[in-house]
Amino acid sequence: MEPRRLRLGVAGLGRAFTLMLPTLLGDPRVLPVAACDPREAARRQFATDFHAPVYASIDELANDKNVEVIYIASPHQFHCPHTKIAAAHGKHVLVEKPMALDLAECDQMISACSDAHVSLIVGHCHSFDTPYLVARSLIQSGEFGAVKMIQALNYTDYLYRPRRLEELATAQGGGAVFSQAAHQVDIVRLLADSPAVRLRAQVGNWDTARPTEGAYTAMLWFASGAFATLAYNGYGHFDSDEWTGWIGEMGNRKDPDEYGGARQRLRTLASKSEETQLKNAGTYGGATYKPPADVGNTRAAGYQHFGPIIVSCEGADLRPLPDAIYIYGHERKERRVIPAATTPRTEVIDELYRAVAEGHKPLHDGNWAKDTLKICLAILDSSTQQRDIDLL
């Protein structure tokens, strides 16, 4: 018997939606039935692709009685008001990371969904990715003893991909901490499986033409006694996918000969407005937008991931990779293969479906995401104040 399909409305047809689109097309448990976006071209594309109604505002989308879940993929600063509108109309909410830009907004979102008796799930973040979920399951089995230390790093060209102006302004939710640390913090919290208690961090803001944080490093301590080091560099030099077999963040093969491509493309632009136009052109409905390949007939090289991670347990080091978990024990090394998936990010739909259709409490709920945001804000505060930040 086929599963019931969740009727999904989409708020925001930008890059987040574009990355989630293969999932929405390939997973039989969801059915996109409506969308809203201020861009007419994006609305027109959605209406053509899904033969579904489109709206200019989320108020109109939330009034659509055929919608039971709203996927909020709008820019960061709209997550809170859009969640509150969705909840007020009795819609379950799947909202992109970061959950919000401050903790007060998180509280408002949690309260709105609780009062309306609807589910609130925050994702996609990379802690949904199967390699990290498998590693967590191995840790919880007790086979390797307690987690003692985690090292997570990622070197990318994040800061030199086409950006809108607000994406280069920290106060508006731009920069590596809001956009990237949310992934990395979520992953180490998932693997440590213990409340974070203290943090010390430093951010890097090294390019005056891109005036926001492009890098950070943080030391995070947990109540269990475990600790984690996090490092992220988005300045487009070393590419840490070299250490994941040249399988990129989206699970696809990368060509090492394309080194420096992001910076080279950026140099061809004469102004910030041209950069915005370039980003919009490649986004859903834009002039150069390319629809995803036929999901059923393609297979990625591996699962999505967020850079090299090593989890040191009492009895072994675990290294999640896009296609396997490497286990470095006392006397031997083992490679445990992860069965391949045909649909990317189906783990997000797993959690959404269990919550909405089966009534299970989600892991990535509002309280979980608020704690992740609290750590991200602490990274900024620690760097500014040059001191440790207590998280309890």
Side-chain angles (χ1 to χ4, degrees):
M1 181 170 140
E2 291 188 1
R4 175 170 81 82
R5 302 191 78 178
L6 303 180
R7 301 185 308 279
L8 194 76
V10 181
L13 299 172
R15 176 167 171 75
F17 166 73
T18 304
L19 293 176
M20 187 64 80
L21 183 55
T23 310
L24 304 182
L25 292 171
D27 197 304
R29 295 169 295 178
V30 288
L31 178 66
V33 298
C36 70
D37 194 279
R39 295 176 302 127
E40 183 181 353
R43 296 197 301 269
R44 187 165 55 246
Q45 183 80 48
F46 189 93
T48 299
D49 289 347
F50 294 98
H51 307 288
V54 290
Y55 307 100
S57 74
I58 191 171
D59 298 273
E60 296 172 289
L61 176 66
N63 270 314
D64 189 324
K65 292 183 171 28
N66 193 38
V67 173
E68 61 178 326
V69 180
I70 293 184
Y71 167 42
I72 296 173
S74 48
H76 304 163
Q77 63 268 34
F78 298 114
H79 289 180
C80 179
H82 287 181
T83 293
K84 289 162 68 176
I85 290 169
H89 287 80
K91 313 300 185 183
H92 299 281
V93 175
L94 172 65
V95 59
E96 274 288 334
K97 64 81 202 162
M99 180 179 179
L101 298 183
D102 62 50
L103 300 181
E105 286 188 336
C106 293
D107 289 335
Q108 293 174 38
M109 296 163 72
I110 292 167
S111 294
C113 291
S114 176
D115 292 345
H117 304 289
V118 297
S119 296
L120 171 61
I121 297 171
V122 182
H124 175 260
C125 59
H126 279 290
S127 64
F128 281 95
D129 296 346
T130 288
Y132 308 127
L133 296 178
V134 172
R136 181 178 191 249
S137 179
L138 290 173
I139 292 165
Q140 291 181 329
S141 75
E143 182 179 354
F144 308 107
V147 173
K148 293 300 183 182
M149 180 177 76
I150 303 172
Q151 289 190 307
L153 63 84
N154 204 359
Y155 282 65
T156 77
D157 59 7
Y158 158 77
L159 201 62
Y160 296 97
R161 300 166 195 166
R163 297 289 168 202
R164 300 185 304 273
L165 286 176
E166 71 265 22
E167 293 180 284
L168 298 174
T170 306
Q172 297 181 57
V177 174
F178 277 122
S179 291
Q180 304 299 301
H183 290 299
Q184 212 170 37
V185 168
D186 244 35
I187 292 166
V188 299
R189 290 184 60 222
L190 182 89
L191 297 173
D193 197 19
S194 176
V197 297
R198 185 163 52 97
L199 174 142
R200 183 65 185 261
Q202 183 71 44
V203 305
N205 190 333
W206 308 324
D207 186 343
T208 55
R210 317 291 281 178
T212 188
E213 296 80 25
Y216 62 82
T217 187
M219 185 81 173
L220 192 59
W221 289 267
F222 296 94
S224 64
F227 54 91
T229 55
L230 291 68
Y232 185 90
N233 184 320
Y235 281 99
H237 295 127
F238 176 64
D239 184 346
S240 55
D241 287 334
E242 182 175 332
W243 293 346
T244 58
W246 289 114
I247 297 176
E249 180 180 346
M250 297 297 107
N252 298 315
R253 291 280 177 200
K254 293 179 72 171
D255 183 355
D257 292 335
E258 293 183 356
Y259 178 85
R263 284 175 177 269
Q264 292 167 17
R265 284 188 295 273
L266 202 59
R267 279 200 299 271
T268 67
L269 305 177
S271 66
K272 293 293 184 186
S273 62
E274 280 193 21
E275 183 176 349
T276 300
Q277 291 168 12
L278 178 63
K279 176 159 188 173
N280 289 341
T283 302
Y284 188 76
T288 60
Y289 164 72
K290 295 180 181 179
D294 185 353
V295 176
N297 293 325
T298 60
R299 185 184 293 271
Y303 285 93
Q304 297 187 6
H305 68 93
F306 202 69
I309 290 178
I310 301 174
V311 186
S312 294
C313 301
E314 292 170 309
D317 289 344
L318 308 183
R319 185 183 173 212
L321 284 169
D323 59 352
I325 308 293
Y326 277 85
I327 301 169
Y328 302 83
H330 291 315
E331 298 177 355
R332 68 186 184 97
K333 179 175 76 172
E334 177 185 357
R335 180 174 182 264
R336 296 194 186 181
V337 175
I338 304 172
T342 55
T343 304
R345 297 188 178 183
T346 191
E347 305 95 329
V348 178
I349 308 304
D350 289 342
E351 196 163 319
L352 177 66
Y353 194 86
R354 285 195 296 264
V356 174
E358 300 172 0
H360 295 289
K361 185 180 185 303
L363 169 61
H364 296 87
D365 63 7
N367 289 311
W368 170 274
K370 177 185 174 183
D371 285 343
T372 288
L373 179 64
K374 185 177 182 179
I375 294 170
C376 292
L377 294 171
I379 290 174
L380 295 171
D381 289 343
S382 178
S383 183
T384 299
Q385 300 171 27
Q386 290 293 288
R387 66 176 181 88
D388 290 7
I389 302 293
D390 290 329
L391 298 169
L392 292 180

